Amino acid sequence: MTEATRHTPGTPCWVSLMVHGIDATKDFYASLFGWEFSPGPAQLGPYLRALIDGKEVAGIGRLPADRHLPVAWTPYLATDDADATAEVIRSCGGTVGVGPLDAGDAGRLAIGCDPAGAVFGIWQAAAHQGTAVYGTHGTPVWNELVTRETSWVGKFYQALFGYEVEAVVSADLDHLTLQLGGRPVASLHGVGRTLPRSRGTHWMTYFEVEDTDAAARQVEELGGHVLHRPKEGPTGRLATVADPEGAVFTIVRSHPR
């Protein structure tokens, strides 16, 4: 288990899920990941922070009844100035749909879209720094943008936070790793025509689990779905799953580093 300190701008620092049935969703993730919950900022409406051993790992909120938005995990990227970053998003061809706005004394946020349509948040921390612990069962361990091809959307994120980019481009692989100070923080994966038409370009959050196969079975037992069965990948054994409301995420038992 690794405890987080202040997040460098551009680092994924939080993941949040907005759903219709917050109580049922809370029960699903409590059973799957062992999460406990505490109230989040009142300014965000019904909103809960998920905890492991008393440390914050993720957020779950309720969508307004009249908002028919996709139910999806959204990563937040750390920033020192949410207003300035929101302006850069707009100037680089993205859009800002929510904010910037204050979340009480926790911090300041905005939610935007990149030019390919993937939704992400930005977070200017105050009292709430973001995800506080990594590397144990139920914690977010990685975020990957799944898109048709990486080159042009990669330039957007480079302009946004000045990432160094490590590229793997071959006949059958289109993959960029985003780095800050030489440390990998996220990745972009171009999947060509296999990009799901129903979802389009999107961010995928990876959660660490103790046993990928057992967790995939439990997802189904709890009313979720397994979209891609467990398999070995470059970083560990992983599976793509969805919760009962359809939010897609990846579970992974990471290889020892």
Side-chain angles (χ1 to χ4, degrees):
M1 181 184 294
T2 302
E3 293 192 22
T5 55
R6 178 186 172 276
H7 295 87
T8 303
T11 305
C13 64
W14 187 244
V15 289
S16 189
L17 175 65
M18 302 297 288
V19 298
H20 301 287
I22 195 168
D23 291 334
T25 299
K26 180 181 73 170
D27 292 344
F28 172 85
Y29 288 100
S31 297
L32 182 64
F33 290 148
W35 287 352
E36 298 175 336
F37 295 89
S38 66
Q43 292 85 349
L44 302 180
Y47 191 83
L48 300 171
R49 289 179 180 158
L51 312 173
I52 291 177
D53 294 331
K55 295 180 173 59
E56 297 163 339
V57 295
I60 297 176
R62 180 182 293 149
L63 283 167
D66 58 344
R67 297 292 294 275
H68 300 289
L69 299 173
V71 175
W73 280 102
T74 300
Y76 284 71
L77 307 176
T79 178
D80 287 336
D81 187 331
D83 294 80
T85 302
E87 284 303 316
V88 177
I89 290 171
R90 296 186 185 101
S91 67
C92 291
T95 58
V96 177
V98 176
L101 57 87
D102 288 326
D105 63 355
R108 190 163 173 80
L109 67 90
I111 299 174
C113 282
D114 67 26
V119 177
F120 65 97
I122 54 174
W123 180 253
Q124 178 185 335
H128 174 62
Q129 292 293 321
T131 300
V133 61
Y134 297 91
T136 189
H137 181 82
T139 61
V141 290
W142 194 248
N143 289 277
E144 182 172 79
L145 182 75
V146 183
T147 186
R148 186 175 292 274
E149 60 92 18
T150 65
S151 61
W152 68 286
V153 74
K155 291 174 183 174
F156 167 83
Y157 288 100
Q158 279 184 277
L160 191 57
F161 284 113
Y163 296 112
E164 306 119 33
V165 172
E166 182 178 324
V168 178
V169 181
S170 63
D172 58 353
L173 188 63
D174 177 10
H175 192 273
L176 299 178
T177 300
L178 304 180
Q179 301 185 357
L180 291 168
R183 182 174 67 91
V185 296
S187 56
L188 279 58
H189 187 192
V191 297
R193 294 182 179 178
T194 64
L195 182 70
R197 189 171 295 179
S198 60
R199 300 190 67 204
T201 297
H202 61 278
W203 279 97
M204 175 74 77
T205 297
Y206 288 63
F207 290 95
E208 185 73 27
V209 292
E210 293 174 354
D211 183 323
T212 304
D213 295 75
R217 290 192 295 270
Q218 191 176 16
V219 165
E220 293 184 314
E221 293 166 1
L222 294 169
H225 305 280
V226 176
L227 306 180
H228 298 292
R229 292 283 165 190
K231 66 176 184 179
E232 292 297 327
T235 60
R237 187 163 178 81
L238 50 83
T240 305
V241 300
D243 70 19
E245 282 209 23
V248 177
F249 56 101
T250 294
I251 50 176
V252 60
R253 170 64 174 179
S254 299
H255 292 147
R257 291 180 183 267

